[in-house]
Amino acid sequence: MKDITIHPRATIREAMEALGKVSEKVLLVVDDEQALLGALSDGDIRRYILRGGDLSGTIQGAYQADPIFVFQDDYDIERIKQILTKNRIVLIPILHKNRKIIDFVTWETVFGNNRDSEKQKLDASVVIMAGGRGTRLEPFTKVLPKPLIPVGGKPVIDHIIDRFRAYGASEFYLTIHHKSKILRAYFDEKSPDYSIGFAEEDEPRGTAGSLKLLKGKLNKPFFVSNCDIIIETDYADIFRFHKKNGYDITLVASAKQYNIPYGICELNGKGSLKRIQEKPEYSFLVNTGMYVLNPDVIDIIPDEGLFHITHLMDKVKENSGSIGVYPVSEKAWIDVGQWAEYRNALKVIEGIS
């Protein structure tokens, strides 16, 4: 029970970590006496962050104070089924008459099947940017292209594709340049049960320039992913978020916290010390390298030269377009693009496996 409950004094960052550990993606907010105060979902946290909420603040301004629940004396399995299906929720707490939580019921325990098996299918193509040299992972990448670096027993690109395949995605494109023949040979021998196409650069085009090679092949919103990241989240929800809000580009961002292990000196503008801030903590939303793009943004990309995703975003904004941000937790972003993160990724993937 303690894994699914959280106190209102907990921080947003602590709540994101806790949500990452529960399959239902909802926490029950309780007071010191374990009485129900509210419910907190990953969607609630996302809305809080997008309103400008502080990641180090408490969940007080984020959770829903009127959750659906059932008192113990009113428990009836047929009624529970009706509540779950009508409200499209995954969990109902069971309360004593004093509002203390004594148990909870999930969709899986009632209906006997896991909702993960009923994931909404993605009607979207996926572009994986796989043409970089991967200099931060040398000497591996002097032998192999970065997408084929092994993580947990298989290449990182297979981890990426597998996560999209779980949502029914079946059309993939790889933009390639460095050691492109090895990448082509890998997929040729693999003979996958999904469509795989290649867009090969004559010269490096940056993090968005190679998308121009796919003009005419993508006629609906599509995903773009770097080849050295793995995102553990609901891809269908990202896609819904993008379409519902009418964005031209949606950027998936990770909530990261940085701790400075020193006292930070602040000056008064005249060279004198104003104060020392002892070991401050800073929270940021960091670009993970995953996006959803509308196909018409490809028209903005020039035919030649380096053109990065940041350039594309600037152009979209200049044309009065809109860019959304979809926050995920720090642990939902697995980065294998540099040695320190690669070692961490090995541990995380082994844990997931």
Side-chain angles (χ1 to χ4, degrees):
M1 181 73 73
K2 67 178 181 179
D3 292 335
I4 206 167
T5 59
I6 192 167
H7 196 277
R9 289 194 297 270
T11 67
I12 292 294
R13 186 169 182 270
E14 290 169 339
M16 293 178 82
E17 291 181 2
L19 279 166
K21 299 175 182 177
V22 295
S23 59
E24 290 78 19
K25 301 305 176 188
V26 62
L27 299 173
L28 301 177
V29 184
V30 297
D31 62 16
D32 293 332
E33 304 299 323
Q34 294 298 299
L36 182 69
L37 299 177
L40 180 71
S41 69
D42 53 354
D44 294 326
I45 289 182
R46 191 171 302 114
R47 287 184 285 273
Y48 170 86
I49 292 173
L50 295 177
R51 292 197 303 267
D54 186 355
L55 296 175
S56 59
T58 69
I59 65 172
Q60 290 277 12
Y63 72 82
Q64 299 292 325
D66 55 347
I68 295 172
F69 63 86
V70 172
F71 284 115
Q72 181 183 20
D73 294 342
D74 297 328
Y75 183 90
D76 177 81
I77 190 63
E78 293 304 318
R79 181 165 175 256
I80 293 290
K81 289 180 178 180
Q82 292 176 2
I83 294 172
L84 286 169
T85 53
K86 178 181 178 180
N87 296 279
R88 300 181 62 83
I89 55 178
V90 297
L91 181 148
I92 299 176
I94 309 300
L95 308 186
H96 189 269
K97 60 184 178 181
N98 59 10
R99 288 185 66 93
K100 286 187 179 180
I101 301 174
I102 58 175
D103 203 352
F104 62 88
V105 179
T106 67
W107 178 282
E108 183 179 357
T109 56
V110 170
F111 291 101
N113 65 322
N114 191 330
R115 295 194 87 182
D116 284 346
S117 64
E118 301 174 1
K119 289 177 179 176
Q120 179 178 333
K121 299 305 180 183
L122 272 178
D123 182 22
S125 300
V126 180
V127 179
I128 301 174
M129 312 299 280
R133 301 186 65 86
T135 54
R136 294 180 301 172
L137 283 177
E138 290 181 348
F140 273 12
T141 48
K142 285 187 176 294
V143 179
L144 290 172
K146 183 166 59 172
L148 297 186
I149 296 299
V151 178
K154 62 183 178 183
V156 61
I157 196 165
D158 281 348
H159 285 285
I160 297 170
I161 290 174
D162 287 350
R163 279 155 179 76
F164 281 104
R165 292 286 290 145
Y167 288 86
S170 60
E171 184 175 75
F172 296 85
Y173 293 95
L174 270 61
T175 65
I176 56 176
H177 178 69
H178 179 63
K179 297 191 179 297
S180 60
K181 291 181 180 178
I182 298 177
L183 266 172
R184 287 181 182 272
Y186 174 76
F187 282 98
D188 184 55
E189 183 174 342
K190 185 181 179 69
S191 297
D193 61 348
Y194 49 82
S195 169
I196 186 84
F198 299 93
E200 185 160 4
E201 304 168 313
D202 294 329
E203 59 181 3
R205 292 291 319 276
T207 53
S210 57
L211 292 175
K212 194 71 171 186
L213 300 172
L214 295 171
K215 181 175 172 58
K217 295 182 178 180
L218 302 164
N219 55 16
K220 55 191 175 185
F222 61 95
F223 277 86
V224 174
S225 174
N226 288 351
C227 69
D228 54 7
I229 60 145
I230 301 168
I231 304 294
E232 296 286 355
T233 193
D234 186 338
Y235 291 6
D237 193 57
I238 298 174
F239 200 64
R240 281 194 301 270
F241 175 84
H242 174 82
K243 296 181 70 174
K244 178 182 177 181
N245 292 284
Y247 293 125
D248 294 287
I249 298 176
T250 292
L251 177 155
V252 179
S254 171
K256 295 278 282 186
Q257 182 162 328
Y258 295 91
N259 303 319
I260 308 298
Y262 310 105
I264 302 300
C265 299
E266 294 184 16
L267 304 183
N268 64 2
K270 299 179 181 179
S272 298
L273 181 69
K274 181 180 179 181
R275 67 166 180 159
I276 293 180
Q277 188 176 359
E278 197 63 41
K279 299 180 180 179
E281 298 181 355
Y282 299 98
S283 296
F284 303 97
L285 284 176
V286 180
N287 183 9
T288 64
M290 179 180 284
Y291 317 88
V292 182
L293 276 65
N294 286 347
D296 53 4
V297 303
I298 295 177
D299 296 334
I300 303 173
I301 301 172
D303 293 329
E304 298 178 346
L306 281 174
F307 194 77
H308 295 301
I309 193 72
T310 49
H311 298 145
L312 181 57
M313 291 180 183
D314 289 340
K315 289 291 186 182
V316 166
K317 288 189 288 186
E318 287 174 13
N319 292 341
S320 301
S322 58
I323 299 172
V325 176
Y326 185 96
V328 298
S329 72
E330 182 172 355
K331 291 187 177 180
W333 176 30
I334 305 170
D335 179 13
V336 298
Q338 51 187 318
W339 279 116
E341 296 296 340
Y342 176 77
R343 295 187 183 97
N344 290 335
L346 293 179
K347 297 176 183 177
V348 173
I349 292 297
E350 288 171 1
I352 293 173
S353 300

